[in-house]
Amino acid sequence: MGQPQKPIAAEQQILSLGRVLQSLREEDNVEVLIETTISYLKEQFDYSLIWLALYDRLNHILFGKGGITPDRDTSFLRQRVVLSPGDLLEQVVIEQHPLGVADLQTEVRAAEWRKIAEKFHIQGTIILPIRYKDRCLGLLLLGSERWGYLLTGEAKARLMMVLGELGAVLYQKEMDLHHKQTKRSDEPLLELLENLRTLPNLNQRLEAAVQATHKFVSPSRTNVYWFEREGRYFWCRMSNQLVKIDRNTSTQQAAGMTVQELSDFYYALTVNQIVSIGDARSSLKSHFTAKLLQRLKVRSLLAAPIIWQKNLLGFLAVESNEPRIWTETDRNFVQGTAGLISMVASTESMESTIAQIQEDAQLTGQVAQGIYSEHDLQETLNSCAKRVLARLAATRFLLLQYDPEQNNYQFIYQSQPHNRRSFAFSLHTLKELDEELLQRSTQAVEIENLDEDLRFFNWRPSLLENGVRSLLICKCTHSHTPAPLLVIAHEAHRSWTTLEKELLWAVSQQIGVIVRQWQLHNRTTQQQKVSQAFEQCLRILTQSQNSIEVEKKHLEHTALEQIASILGCPLALLLSWSPGESRAEIIPGVIDNSLFGIFSDASLPIQAEALIQWALATESYLTLKVDNLPPETRKWLSVPDKGQIFLMALRTNAVYEATGVVLLADYQERRWSEQSLIATATLIAQLAWWRREKQITRLLESTTEELRQLNWYKHRRLEEIQRITALSLKQIHDLGIPANELTQMRYQLLLRQLDHTVTSMSGMLKLEHWQLHISWETMSIASLLKRSLERIENELKQQKLWIGVHGLGQPIDEQESSKNSSLARGVPAPNAKSAMAIAGDIVKIELVIHELLLTACNRSQAGGRIDIWCRRLDASKKVDAKHSSASTGDEHQTSLELSITYNGAIEPQLLTELHQNTPKDVLAPSNLDQPPGLHLLICQNLVQELGGELNFYQLPDNRVVSRLLLPLVGHDS
C-alpha cells in the first residue's frame, strides 16, 4: 500500500470552508462569530484591508466590528459610521448588491475611506452586503493594493457562502434579541381597561388613557383631539402636558384645527384608518404630510381615530419632535387605546343619547300622525321643519319637486329663520352620476363642504351664491322617476352624525307620503281645471251667435282663453281664414304678459307664413322653440328668446281643408304634461268642429235665402205668364174658328198645344210651389228621345254635330238584341210594338236628358259626333262596378241603360266630385258650386230621387260618358 497523499489546495479550501461554516452554525456569541469570519477571510483571501460592520436599521448607522489593516491598527475599524445619502456604503445597504471600486483613493463617494486608502495604498475594493431574507444586517469591505476589483467565481462562491451563513445566524440572533426586548401591549391595555372602569367621568378617563399611552410609547407628547361637527374643527381636549384643556382655552394648541387645514388627514380618520408618519415614511401623500407636520410642529406622528357608531368623535395622537419609525406594537397600543376611549365616550353621553332617541321617535311619530290627520298639510310641514332644524342645528329646510314642464327642480316648501329670505330661484336637473347616487342611496347624502365637494355640481353655483355651505339630501320615495327631495342646508361647513342622518331619512320617507298627497291633490285640481275648461268651452261653443260676426269673434276669444288656461300660456291667438282665401286674419285671444307683442292688423299670406305651413303639415299638434322662428314671422309676432310655442291646425278631417291655426306661447321653455297636451288638442279639435258647423250653417242659410228669393221671384213670374197666356187663349177662343179649312186645322192644333201648356203650368203652380211633386207616367223611350232631340236642334245645326241613337229596336221580351239598330237624326215611330217604354215623372226625366244632351253639345267640338246608346238591363245581369256605384232599388225590376257619349273636354276634378262615393267638403271651393257642374249635380240628385242613377266617367279613348239608368215598363204595365 502506498503512502497517503497530502490534500491538494482545492481540497484544503473546501475543508476550511466546511470548518468555518460549522463554527458559524454552532457559535452563540456574536463577537466570536465576527472574529471567526475575519480569521477565515484573512487566511483564505489575499486582501490588505478587511472591515466588517453591522447595520442598525432604526438609526441608519453602521457599527464597525473589526477587521485587519496593514499596520495592524484596528481602532478606527470599530467606529460608528452614520450613513448619508449618496454614500457608497449606503448604496450597498439600500440596494443589497455587491459593489466594486477599481481605485478607492479616487472615489469621491467614500470621503472617509479615501483617506484610509491613501494611507495604506489601497486601490481595488469590493463592498459586499451581509443579508438575509431581503434584510441587510451589515456589510464587508475588502481592499487590495492592486488596481481593480476582480474576484474569481470559485472565491466569490466561497465568500458568498460564508457571508450567507453569517447573515442567517445574525438574523436569528437579532430576532431572539428583538423578541426579548419587544414590549407587550396586552398587559398595559388590560391595566388601562381596569383603570377606566373605576374613574367617574370622561375627562379623568381621557387623562388615564393619555398617561398610559405616553408611558408605553414614550413620544414627545400625547394628545386627545375632539371633533366639533358644527364648525368642522378639532380641539385638544386632553394632553399629557396640560392635564385638562377646555375648548374655550385661548392657547394656540387648544384653539383648534379646521378640517379644511387637515383635509386628507381628516378623510383618512373618517374611514377608520390609522395615520402613521415617521422617518421617511408616511401613510398620507408627501405634500400633505409636510403640511400636517408643520401645522402640529412635530417630526413624527401616530394618530388613531376615535369612532363610535360610524361617527368620528376625535383622535388620539402621539407626537415626536424627532424622526421616528413607529413599531407595530406602538400602532396596536395607540389603536387599542383609541377604541377604549370610543367606548367610554359613548357611555358618558348614554343618558343624553337615550333622551335624544326618544325625542327623535316623538318627532317621526308626529310627522306620521300629521299625514293621516285632518290638519292642513302646510301646518304639518311647518311643525316638522321647525323641529328638524332645531334637532340638526341647520338653517334651512327645503322640499324640492322635479317639474317636467320646466325641466328643473322647484321649491315646493321652504323654512328658514325670520332674518333669512326664502329662495326665489329653481335648481337645474342633476347630472346622471348625481341621479344614480341618489337612486342607490339608503341614507342621507352628506356634503360637508360645498366649496370643495363636486357632487351635485349643477346646484353648486346657485346654492353657494345664496350662502349655503353644507347639505344633507334625502330622496323621499323609492321610485326610479325623479323623486321629491328633502334638503337640509347650513350656512357654515359642518357634518352630521349617523343618528342624525338616519333621523332625517326616516322623516324624508314620511314627507314623501305628504308630497304624494300633494301630487294627487294637484292632479285632481288639474283634472278639475281641465273639466271646467271643457265645460266652459263647450258651453261657449254651443251658444247661439245669431250669425253676427262680432259675436263670433267674442266666442272665439273666450274659447281661446279656456284653451290657454289648460297649458297656463300667457299668449293665445287664432290665425283664421275661410276656404278659398289666400290670407289669414289674426284673432287675439289672450295676452297676459308685456313680453309678448302682436301686430294684430297684419294680414298673413297662408302659403308664405312658416307657422301656418308647419301646422298644416303636422297631423296633430306641434311644439317648437322661439329660436326656430324665421325673420318674417318675427315681424308680426314678438316672443322672448327662451319662449316656447304650441301650434295646431283647425282641421276636422284629413280630407277637409283647415280653416285656421291656434297658436299658444309661453315666455320660457317648458315640458307640458301629456294629459294637458291631449286636453288642449281635444278642445282645439272641438273648436274646429264648431267653426266648421257655423260656417256650414251660414253657407246653408245664405244658400237657402237666395234659393227662396229666386223661387219666389220665378214663381210669381210664372203665375203672371200663366195668367197672361190663359187670358190670351180666352181671347183667341172668343174670336172664333177661322173659316179656311187648312188654317182651321192648324189653328186647332195650336190651341191644343196652348191648352196643354197652360194646363201643365197650372199643375206645376198648384203642386210644386215650395217642393217638387213626383208624378208617375209612362212614355216610350223613342218618343222621349225624339222630343229631346227636337229641343237641341238649333245647337246641333250651329255646331254641325252628328247624332246617332242605337239600340231602340229591341223587342220587349228580348234580353238584348243581337244586332243594334241605328239611325241618324231620326228615331223609330213611337207606336212600334217593339219600342221600350220608361215609367216615372216624364217631365223631369225629359229635362234631365235635355240637360245631358245640352252639356254634350256644349263640350263637343264643331263637326263632332254624339252617340246615344240604349240597352235593357235585367235584374240578373250584373252591372259593371266601374260604371255603377249604387243599387237601382228594386232588385226584380228591369232597367233601361241610356248612355250618351261624345268626344269633348271635361275637367278631371269635376268627374271626381260628381262621383257619389267621393267625400266632399262643403266649405271647400268646388266645380259644383256653379253651372255647368251645378246643373249636373242637380240632375244626378233628381234622378236618384226618381229611382234611377246618373253617373259620369271617361273611357280610355277619352270619350266622355253620361250613363243614365231608368226603370222600364214591364209586361203588365
Side-chain angles (χ1 to χ4, degrees):
M1 179 178 290
Q3 294 291 333
Q5 298 180 356
K6 293 182 179 181
I8 60 177
E11 293 178 348
Q12 290 179 354
Q13 292 175 356
I14 295 174
L15 292 174
S16 298
L17 177 61
R19 285 194 299 269
V20 73
L21 292 178
Q22 183 70 22
S23 300
L24 293 178
R25 293 192 191 100
E26 296 177 352
E27 185 58 52
D28 294 330
N29 193 319
V30 176
E31 296 295 334
V32 176
L33 287 172
I34 293 174
E35 291 178 1
T36 302
T37 304
I38 293 174
S39 299
Y40 174 77
L41 294 175
K42 180 180 179 181
E43 176 186 349
Q44 296 294 326
F45 297 92
D46 185 17
Y47 284 97
S48 302
L49 177 64
I50 299 176
W51 179 59
L52 193 149
L54 297 183
Y55 174 58
D56 182 3
R57 292 189 312 280
L58 297 179
N59 299 306
H60 201 48
I61 296 175
L62 289 174
F63 293 95
K65 291 299 182 179
I68 61 172
T69 61
D71 61 356
R72 301 185 184 276
D73 182 11
T74 60
S75 58
F76 73 91
L77 296 181
R78 295 186 178 274
Q79 294 180 0
R80 185 180 68 170
V81 178
V82 178
L83 298 177
S84 59
D87 193 355
L88 279 180
L89 301 181
E90 187 196 44
Q91 180 179 345
V92 175
V93 168
I94 297 301
E95 296 181 358
Q96 299 185 28
H97 289 292
L99 179 64
V101 179
D103 188 355
L104 187 58
Q105 299 178 25
T106 61
E107 181 58 54
V108 296
R109 294 179 295 169
E112 296 295 331
W113 288 97
R114 284 179 62 187
K115 299 178 182 179
I116 298 174
E118 292 174 355
K119 178 180 178 181
F120 298 117
H121 308 289
I122 301 300
Q123 292 188 29
T125 305
I126 299 177
I127 307 173
L128 301 102
I130 303 172
R131 57 185 295 273
Y132 183 78
K133 291 185 177 179
D134 295 330
R135 176 178 292 186
C136 184
L137 302 170
L139 56 81
L140 173 67
L141 185 146
L142 301 176
S144 173
E145 297 178 356
R146 297 185 304 274
W147 186 90
Y149 46 85
L150 294 177
L151 188 66
T152 62
E154 179 268 338
K156 184 178 180 180
R158 289 186 288 117
L159 180 59
M160 296 306 296
M161 291 176 66
V162 172
L163 293 181
E165 188 64 30
L166 177 61
V169 175
L170 290 176
Y171 177 80
Q172 186 61 43
K173 300 301 180 183
E174 183 179 333
M175 290 295 101
D176 294 342
L177 180 62
H178 176 73
H179 182 71
K180 292 178 181 179
Q181 295 178 348
T182 299
K183 295 181 293 185
R184 298 180 60 85
S185 61
D186 50 355
E187 294 179 1
L189 281 176
L190 290 174
E191 183 180 351
L192 175 60
L193 178 59
E194 187 65 27
N195 193 16
L196 293 178
R197 291 177 181 174
T198 60
L199 296 176
N201 56 55
L202 179 60
N203 284 330
Q204 292 179 353
R205 294 171 179 173
L206 291 178
E207 179 184 353
V210 167
Q211 295 298 341
T213 304
H214 192 76
K215 179 180 178 182
F216 184 85
V217 182
S218 300
S220 299
R221 60 178 176 267
T222 304
N223 299 322
V224 170
Y225 293 90
W226 217 248
F227 180 53
E228 287 297 327
R229 297 188 174 276
E230 189 169 356
R232 299 177 77 231
Y233 67 92
F234 291 95
W235 59 282
C236 186
R237 182 166 183 173
M238 188 63 61
S239 174
N240 70 303
Q241 297 177 350
L242 301 174
V243 176
K244 180 182 178 183
I245 301 176
D246 187 74
R247 76 182 69 183
N248 297 322
T249 304
S250 60
T251 63
Q252 182 179 1
Q253 189 175 8
M257 299 173 293
T258 64
V259 170
Q260 189 172 1
E261 292 178 300
L262 301 179
S263 85
D264 291 3
F265 176 68
Y266 166 72
Y267 292 117
L269 294 178
T270 56
V271 295
N272 199 18
Q273 176 183 341
I274 188 169
V275 177
S276 174
I277 302 176
D279 187 11
R281 297 182 182 180
S282 174
S283 59
L284 301 177
K285 296 179 180 178
S286 59
H287 71 280
F288 185 78
T289 298
K291 180 180 177 182
L292 178 62
L293 294 179
Q294 183 180 3
R295 176 65 180 84
L296 295 175
K297 297 181 179 179
V298 297
R299 299 187 66 182
S300 301
L301 173 68
L302 185 61
I306 303 172
I307 294 180
W308 179 253
Q309 291 184 343
K310 299 181 181 180
N311 297 315
L312 180 65
L313 304 180
F315 64 92
L316 172 64
V318 291
E319 306 165 5
S320 177
N321 295 328
E322 298 296 334
R324 177 170 174 175
I325 297 178
W326 305 106
T327 65
E328 191 67 25
T329 305
D330 295 336
R331 294 167 56 92
N332 293 337
F333 188 88
V334 173
Q335 192 171 15
T337 305
L340 292 177
I341 294 175
S342 66
M343 289 189 291
V344 298
S346 64
T347 58
E348 180 74 14
S349 58
M350 188 66 69
E351 293 183 1
S352 61
T353 302
I354 294 174
Q356 192 64 66
I357 293 175
Q358 291 176 347
E359 292 182 6
D360 293 346
Q362 184 180 4
L363 170 60
T364 55
Q366 288 180 351
V367 177
Q369 184 179 3
I371 295 174
Y372 302 102
S373 65
E374 297 180 357
H375 296 295
D376 182 52
L377 296 179
Q378 191 77 14
E379 180 181 348
T380 301
L381 285 178
N382 288 337
S383 175
C384 173
K386 183 177 179 181
R387 294 175 64 89
V388 169
L389 290 178
R391 170 68 177 86
L392 301 183
T395 55
R396 291 185 183 272
F397 181 99
L398 308 172
L399 191 58
L400 287 79
Q401 174 65 47
Y402 176 74
D403 186 352
E405 294 187 1
Q406 306 290 344
N407 192 27
N408 57 23
Y409 280 91
Q410 301 282 343
F411 295 103
I412 59 177
Y413 176 81
Q414 299 186 57
S415 179
Q416 60 278 329
H418 297 294
N419 59 348
R420 299 289 191 275
R421 293 182 179 180
S422 59
F423 291 155
F425 56 89
S426 58
L427 295 174
H428 298 293
T429 53
L430 294 173
K431 290 184 176 294
E432 185 177 354
L433 288 177
D434 295 328
E435 289 184 355
E436 292 178 357
L437 172 64
L438 284 177
Q439 290 298 334
R440 295 194 307 266
S441 64
T442 56
Q443 65 175 6
V445 178
E446 181 182 29
I447 297 181
E448 301 180 12
N449 187 350
L450 192 60
D451 296 297
E452 298 178 354
D453 202 320
L454 296 181
R455 291 177 296 175
F456 300 93
F457 187 81
N458 288 358
W459 292 1
R460 292 177 73 248
S462 301
L463 295 176
L464 289 174
E465 184 180 352
N466 288 271
V468 176
R469 292 297 178 268
S470 54
L471 296 172
L472 275 181
I473 306 174
C474 290
K475 63 177 182 180
C476 297
T477 63
H478 292 283
S479 62
H480 293 286
T481 57
L485 302 178
L486 176 60
V487 179
I488 301 300
H490 200 282
E491 296 178 349
H493 301 152
R494 65 153 300 166
S495 63
W496 287 270
T497 65
T498 302
L499 184 62
E500 290 171 335
K501 288 186 281 188
E502 290 176 352
L503 168 65
L504 187 65
W505 179 264
V507 171
S508 69
Q509 301 309 299
Q510 294 174 346
I511 289 180
V513 180
I514 297 178
V515 175
R516 178 62 176 170
Q517 289 182 347
W518 271 4
Q519 290 175 339
L520 293 176
H521 174 72
N522 292 337
R523 186 174 301 174
T524 302
T525 303
Q526 178 68 17
Q527 291 176 348
Q528 291 176 351
K529 180 180 178 181
V530 172
S531 177
Q532 291 173 359
F534 266 84
E535 180 181 354
Q536 181 72 10
C537 194
L538 292 177
R539 186 173 69 252
I540 292 171
L541 298 180
T542 53
Q543 290 177 353
S544 173
Q545 31 80 13
N546 297 323
S547 300
I548 302 176
E549 190 67 21
V550 176
E551 183 66 19
K552 169 180 171 292
K553 291 186 177 181
H554 171 71
L555 293 178
E556 290 175 341
H557 172 83
T558 309
L560 288 175
E561 288 181 347
Q562 298 300 322
I563 293 172
S565 66
I566 296 179
L567 295 182
C569 290
L571 174 66
L573 54 90
L574 174 63
L575 308 179
S576 175
W577 65 86
S578 297
E581 294 182 349
S582 61
R583 305 188 75 84
E585 175 189 7
I586 301 177
I587 300 177
V590 179
I591 306 179
D592 289 343
N593 198 305
S594 59
L595 298 176
F596 298 97
I598 300 175
F599 183 48
S600 57
D601 295 334
S603 180
L604 307 179
I606 297 175
Q607 296 297 327
E609 175 51 50
L611 290 182
I612 296 178
Q613 293 303 313
W614 290 344
L616 294 178
T618 305
E619 193 170 329
S620 183
Y621 57 81
L622 172 68
T623 60
L624 52 97
K625 297 180 180 179
V626 176
D627 299 340
N628 300 327
L629 294 182
E632 293 299 323
T633 302
R634 292 179 180 268
K635 291 181 181 179
W636 63 269
L637 176 63
S638 176
V639 183
D641 292 337
K642 294 184 178 180
Q644 186 161 312
I645 293 178
F646 172 96
L647 292 174
M648 183 172 177
L650 293 178
R651 184 188 291 113
T652 57
N653 192 292
V655 299
Y656 293 166
E657 289 191 8
T659 60
V661 172
V662 173
L663 185 149
L664 307 175
D666 200 350
Y667 56 85
Q668 60 184 351
E669 183 180 352
R670 297 176 58 186
R671 292 186 179 181
W672 291 301
S673 65
E674 190 69 20
Q675 179 186 8
S676 300
L677 290 173
I678 293 176
T680 303
T682 303
L683 281 183
I684 293 176
Q686 187 62 39
L687 176 62
W689 279 107
W690 175 82
R691 282 171 55 86
R692 177 176 175 81
E693 176 200 351
K694 296 306 177 184
Q695 289 174 345
I696 292 176
T697 301
R698 288 196 303 272
L699 176 62
L700 295 179
E701 288 177 350
S702 175
T703 304
T704 301
E705 183 179 358
E706 292 176 0
L707 292 178
R708 284 176 177 174
Q709 293 174 357
L710 180 62
N711 184 66
W712 172 83
Y713 166 72
K714 289 185 176 182
H715 199 80
R716 290 292 181 258
R717 289 296 305 272
L718 284 175
E719 287 179 345
E720 181 64 16
I721 292 173
Q722 190 269 345
R723 186 185 66 79
I724 294 175
T725 303
L727 181 61
S728 299
L729 185 60
K730 181 177 180 301
Q731 292 175 355
I732 292 175
H733 281 291
D734 292 341
L735 290 176
I737 301 174
N740 188 319
E741 182 177 356
L742 179 59
T743 304
Q744 180 180 3
M745 183 176 63
R746 296 188 61 187
Y747 179 79
Q748 289 178 347
L749 179 61
L750 291 174
L751 284 179
R752 283 198 301 271
Q753 290 179 352
L754 285 173
D755 286 335
H756 178 72
T757 302
V758 171
T759 302
S760 64
M761 289 178 62
S762 300
M764 183 188 69
L765 293 173
K766 180 179 180 181
L767 299 177
E768 297 182 314
H769 187 184
W770 289 109
Q771 60 182 4
L772 292 176
H773 174 74
I774 305 300
S775 61
W776 188 261
E777 305 171 89
T778 60
M779 177 178 284
S780 66
I781 186 61
S783 300
L784 184 62
L785 289 177
K786 183 176 181 180
R787 292 172 55 176
S788 299
L789 292 174
E790 289 175 352
R791 297 181 63 177
I792 63 170
E793 187 172 357
N794 291 333
E795 284 76 5
L796 295 175
K797 289 180 179 180
Q798 291 176 1
Q799 300 190 48
K800 300 179 181 179
L801 297 175
W802 186 90
I803 190 166
V805 181
H806 313 275
L808 289 182
Q810 301 180 66
I812 294 179
D813 57 350
E814 191 178 23
Q815 293 292 332
E816 186 175 0
S817 64
S818 59
K819 184 177 181 180
N820 291 334
S821 61
S822 62
L823 64 108
R825 295 186 178 274
V827 214
N831 56 356
K833 292 184 179 180
S834 62
M836 293 180 289
I838 59 173
D841 194 323
I842 301 301
V843 175
K844 295 179 177 60
I845 294 175
E846 184 181 351
L847 290 175
V848 170
I849 295 175
H850 169 71
E851 187 70 35
L852 297 179
L853 290 174
L854 187 62
T855 300
C857 292
N858 293 334
R859 291 183 177 273
S860 297
Q861 299 177 357
R865 169 176 178 152
I866 299 176
D867 291 296
I868 303 175
W869 303 86
C870 303
R871 70 165 177 165
R872 185 194 314 274
L873 293 180
D874 293 336
S876 59
K877 188 176 184 63
K878 295 183 179 179
V879 182
D880 188 355
K882 179 179 178 182
H883 297 171
S884 177
S885 59
S887 174
T888 58
D890 189 358
E891 295 181 357
H892 302 286
Q893 187 177 20
T894 304
S895 301
L896 170 69
E897 181 186 52
L898 180 65
S899 299
I900 301 174
T901 62
Y902 60 92
N903 287 305
I906 190 170
E907 299 83 355
Q909 183 64 27
L910 176 61
L911 290 177
T912 302
E913 293 175 355
L914 286 172
H915 195 279
Q916 294 181 351
N917 291 335
T918 302
K920 299 176 180 63
D921 184 2
V922 297
L923 296 177
S926 173
N927 293 316
L928 305 181
D929 294 338
Q930 56 188 358
L934 177 60
H935 293 169
L936 296 179
L937 177 64
I938 293 173
C939 293
Q940 195 176 47
N941 295 332
L942 182 60
V943 169
Q944 190 171 2
E945 291 184 17
L946 295 175
E949 288 185 28
L950 176 58
N951 297 307
F952 304 92
Y953 55 93
Q954 195 167 18
L955 296 176
D957 58 3
N958 294 327
R959 285 186 298 162
V960 181
V961 179
S962 301
R963 179 177 180 273
L964 180 63
L965 203 65
L966 297 171
L968 276 176
V969 179
H971 293 279
D972 301 331
S973 298

